[in-house]
Amino acid sequence: MSHDVHQVRAFEHPGEGRKRAKMNPKGRQVDPTASHEIELLLGDRPRRRDLLIEHLHLIQDTYKQISAAHLAALADEMKLSFAEVFETATFYAHFDVVKEGEANIPPLTIRVCDSLTCAMLGAEKLLHELQSSAGPGIRVVRAPCVGRCDTAPAAEVGHHFVDHASVAGVLAAAQGRDTHAHLPDYIDYDAYVARGGYTLLKRLRSGELSKEDVLKPLDDASLRGLGGAGFPAGRKWRAVLGEPGLRVMAVNGDEGEPGTFKDRYYLETDPHRFLEGTLIGAHVIEAQDVYIYIRDEYPASREILAREIAKLPSGGPILHMRRGAGAYICGEESSLLESIEGKRGLPRHKPPYPFQVGLFGLPTLINNVETLWWVRDIVEKGADWWKSHGRNDRHGLRSYSVSGRVKTPGMKLAPAGITVRELIGEFCGGMAEGHKFYAYLPGGASGGILPASMDNIPLDFGTLEKYGCFIGSAAVIILSDQDSVKGAALNLMRFFEDESCGQCTPCRVGTQKAALLMQKPVWNRELLDELSQAMRDASICGLGQAASNPLTTVIKYFPNEFLPKEAAE
């Protein structure tokens, strides 16, 4: 028999010596009903890859969960693999992905913040009481910091927040289905223009002012990034402008550091001052597109911006709103860019830096909300006006988010370099009744913990580093003699463990091991120090590098916490 004849016969009789081919196509099948629902939901919206997270929000908001069938249909509609869509959806805490065979999620979710300030003011008790009394159709879960530390404890019913939350107040909101964001009073477009708003932008666009007329005051004022990193703003703008080709701008409004809520204050009171600063920055670097990324816990801020952006005159760059989905790591600049591109928020390796290769591979200017909020004032009033503020040989103004054991917590606009003792006494009405000042966090969850005896340190960039701390976004949390700093450090480490993106082992495993060691009645300080050093040296981004700061400062500055109770007394 010839070889050719053998081939023909093998083809005519496929069962001989070969496995019969399956009649059904390989891979996950798309449910026709789910496909139709997704097609209707997306409507005429573009199916671009960078809109994946926005489309996942549409599904979550509509169905209060994301089923496996909807994920498969979305992947098919966007011409993406199911794995790409699944890994992105399951990365973000606010997407409730229901896998095949799992029960549906109740239609209403109550989230109780359990971060440090809320925990100090009764969040744990509130959580357990709500879980036992919420009733059918309601799910009660923990949530990391929601940016309402000044009104702790805070709970979220759908997208409506209950401040100073009680069981009765939260259940009343749930039973009344009060689940939508409530918009505060704010300065709208007409009111802002009536007060001279957008005059500076018009002068810049008309050529009356040059780019240098904007950049020089920023340089002279030494305005620094107020999201936490503190990089000089003018220098950053010049660096991006110096890159050839198309450029783009991204705004970091993912204010997730426990204790921080200043950006929310500015967005919900005077949003156009921020928008004008944003448009000025875009003009200076010649960006045609600006992506404004706002954390999902700020629904009122997003709604206000959407309304007010629609009122802006035509012309200028396109402003794209992007919505976070519950991932603290996306406050890190390169993770932010990944999330805007519709991906998991995994930090990028550097170099190249975002000003060279950033969003969609283009040179990118990234600024914090508050940094841009100050641009108009500094350019109009001059660098000398900005530098005329300050204490203790420091210059400028700082927006301190103050929470904890003080009489009047809140966003406090105060001179840069003020001490914590001055901040408490002059801006917060003193300590809360019955509480004695014991310790404080000068820079949020990752900024370390200092004792009350070190209350004379100027709170500003460059003043705290020698103590193992930093100012960061200026989130100041006050602890009293009724609080445990070891308990506070454990609360923060659990936050970092939960929020680690998992990309690198030192952070992913380090935060987990540290939390386990810190739960023990007696801390193994030598092992914790060694673990902290490994996390600082080997983590990819600032989350892992700074996660041990509360731990190491407690070991260093609170020796009495490690003595037997009778000895400490």
Side-chain angles (χ1 to χ4, degrees):
M1 186 188 304
S2 72
H3 181 67
D4 290 338
V5 173
H6 179 78
Q7 282 186 320
V8 170
R9 289 187 177 177
F11 179 79
E12 290 174 343
H13 303 282
E16 295 179 10
R18 299 177 60 185
K19 189 179 291 187
R20 186 178 297 274
K22 293 182 179 179
M23 298 304 295
N24 296 323
K26 294 181 180 180
R28 184 179 297 272
Q29 301 307 298
V30 178
D31 178 77
T33 301
S35 180
H36 180 64
E37 289 171 344
I38 293 300
E39 186 178 353
L40 288 178
L41 194 60
L42 297 189
D44 60 358
R45 293 176 175 86
R47 271 57 168 172
R48 299 195 315 268
R49 176 67 171 82
D50 63 287
L51 292 173
L52 173 57
I53 293 173
E54 296 296 306
H55 295 342
L56 288 168
H57 274 301
L58 280 174
I59 302 172
Q60 178 71 43
D61 291 344
T62 303
Y63 296 98
K64 312 306 178 188
Q65 63 181 29
I66 303 177
S67 68
H70 280 147
L71 280 180
L74 180 63
D76 183 65
E77 186 71 19
M78 297 185 70
K79 303 297 186 286
L80 298 172
S81 70
F82 181 83
E84 285 180 277
V85 176
F86 181 82
E87 70 178 10
T88 300
T90 53
F91 179 86
Y92 294 94
H94 290 182
F95 294 141
D96 296 317
V97 177
V98 179
K99 301 172 185 175
E100 291 179 352
E102 292 183 344
N104 286 335
I105 291 171
L108 180 62
T109 295
I110 297 173
R111 289 184 167 87
V112 178
C113 176
D114 69 351
S115 288
L116 182 55
T117 304
C118 285
M120 290 163 57
L121 295 171
E124 196 68 26
K125 182 172 181 286
L126 175 66
L127 174 71
H128 291 309
E129 290 181 356
L130 284 171
Q131 287 176 333
S132 63
S133 59
I138 299 176
R139 179 180 61 148
V140 181
V141 297
R142 296 177 181 274
C145 187
V146 296
R148 307 186 83 84
C149 316
D150 52 333
T151 57
E156 185 181 9
V157 181
H159 288 301
H160 166 60
F161 285 94
V162 180
D163 295 327
H164 304 294
S166 64
V167 173
V170 173
L171 291 181
Q175 290 162 4
R177 287 301 192 260
D178 188 3
T179 60
H180 298 289
H182 292 189
L183 301 190
D185 293 332
Y186 64 91
I187 301 170
D188 66 7
Y189 177 78
D190 291 336
Y192 182 74
V193 171
R195 301 179 189 187
Y198 292 111
T199 300
L200 179 62
L201 178 63
K202 289 177 182 177
R203 294 175 65 199
L204 181 63
R205 286 179 173 175
S206 70
E208 182 183 343
L209 290 178
S210 68
K211 294 177 182 178
E212 189 59 31
D213 290 331
V214 172
L215 290 167
K216 190 175 188 304
L218 298 184
D219 289 336
D220 293 346
S222 299
L223 177 66
R224 301 176 68 165
L226 298 173
F231 193 85
R235 193 192 310 174
K236 182 184 285 190
W237 290 25
R238 291 181 188 276
V240 176
L241 185 58
E243 292 294 312
L246 294 174
R247 307 177 195 93
V248 69
M249 185 174 179
V251 177
N252 189 344
D254 194 59
E255 182 181 51
E257 183 79 3
T260 311
F261 45 87
K262 62 182 179 62
D263 290 350
R264 175 175 61 82
Y265 172 84
Y266 287 120
L267 290 173
E268 295 181 3
T269 55
D270 197 356
H272 283 282
R273 194 170 298 265
F274 152 70
L275 288 172
E276 184 169 10
T278 299
L279 293 171
I280 288 170
H283 181 90
V284 168
I285 69 160
E286 302 170 8
Q288 297 302 307
D289 291 279
V290 178
Y291 290 81
I292 303 175
Y293 188 96
I294 304 295
R295 66 183 306 207
D296 198 29
E297 292 86 348
Y298 287 178
S301 299
R302 292 197 316 273
E303 178 63 25
I304 288 170
L305 285 177
R307 290 185 181 190
E308 297 307 309
I309 288 172
K311 298 176 184 178
L312 294 175
S314 58
I318 300 173
L319 301 182
H320 307 268
M321 288 282 291
R322 287 291 185 270
R323 178 178 169 185
Y328 167 72
I329 189 63
C330 291
E332 192 275 333
E333 62 177 9
S334 64
S335 302
L336 174 88
L337 301 180
E338 290 288 298
S339 191
I340 292 174
E341 292 180 1
K343 306 171 187 173
R344 294 176 295 168
L346 301 181
R348 298 176 181 178
H349 292 275
K350 303 172 186 176
Y353 296 95
F355 80 88
Q356 301 165 312
V357 180
L359 190 60
F360 307 119
L362 301 174
T364 304
L365 173 63
I366 307 173
N367 276 135
N368 167 258
V369 167
E370 190 199 353
T371 308
L372 296 165
W373 198 90
W374 286 114
V375 167
R376 175 191 164 190
D377 278 337
I378 290 174
V379 176
E380 286 185 342
K381 298 177 181 178
D384 289 342
W385 165 80
W386 178 259
K387 295 170 73 173
S388 68
H389 300 281
R391 290 188 189 177
N392 301 308
D393 298 322
R394 314 303 297 180
H395 302 289
L397 292 165
R398 290 305 305 266
S399 304
Y400 297 95
S401 305
V402 186
S403 64
R405 307 295 189 178
V406 293
K407 283 183 181 176
T408 57
M411 203 291 289
K412 311 296 181 179
L413 184 61
I418 195 172
T419 67
V420 70
R421 182 71 70 173
E422 294 168 335
L423 191 61
I424 293 171
E426 297 177 35
F427 290 84
C428 302
M431 292 294 293
E433 207 65 44
H435 291 267
K436 181 181 177 182
F437 184 31
Y438 180 61
Y440 68 105
L441 282 70
S446 54
I449 305 177
L450 293 173
S453 60
M454 298 173 67
D455 63 354
N456 61 345
I457 304 170
L459 299 178
D460 198 17
F461 293 114
T463 60
L464 292 152
E465 283 75 3
K466 63 183 177 181
Y467 304 107
C469 300
F470 55 79
I471 188 69
S473 58
V476 181
I477 303 177
I478 307 299
L479 281 67
S480 79
D481 55 343
Q482 298 181 32
D483 300 308
S484 163
V485 293
K486 287 176 67 178
L490 175 57
N491 177 284
L492 299 172
M493 189 59 71
R494 284 173 172 161
F495 169 81
F496 291 127
E497 176 190 4
D498 188 58
E499 294 295 334
S500 173
C501 75
Q503 181 178 193
C504 70
T505 302
C507 177
R508 181 184 68 250
V509 177
T511 52
Q512 179 191 45
K513 297 300 183 185
L516 288 172
L517 290 169
M518 293 165 71
Q519 291 176 44
K520 296 182 180 297
V522 179
W523 285 9
N524 185 332
R525 284 177 276 178
E526 182 178 350
L527 184 56
L528 283 168
D529 278 334
E530 183 179 348
L531 182 59
S532 298
Q533 190 64 50
M535 291 166 63
R536 283 193 297 271
D537 291 344
S539 295
I540 290 174
C541 79
L543 191 157
Q545 293 164 10
S548 63
N549 286 344
L551 160 64
T552 55
T553 50
V554 165
I555 291 175
K556 182 176 182 180
Y557 296 116
F558 297 88
N560 285 347
E561 291 277 336
F562 299 94
L563 296 174
K565 185 176 181 182
E566 57 274 11
E569 292 173 347

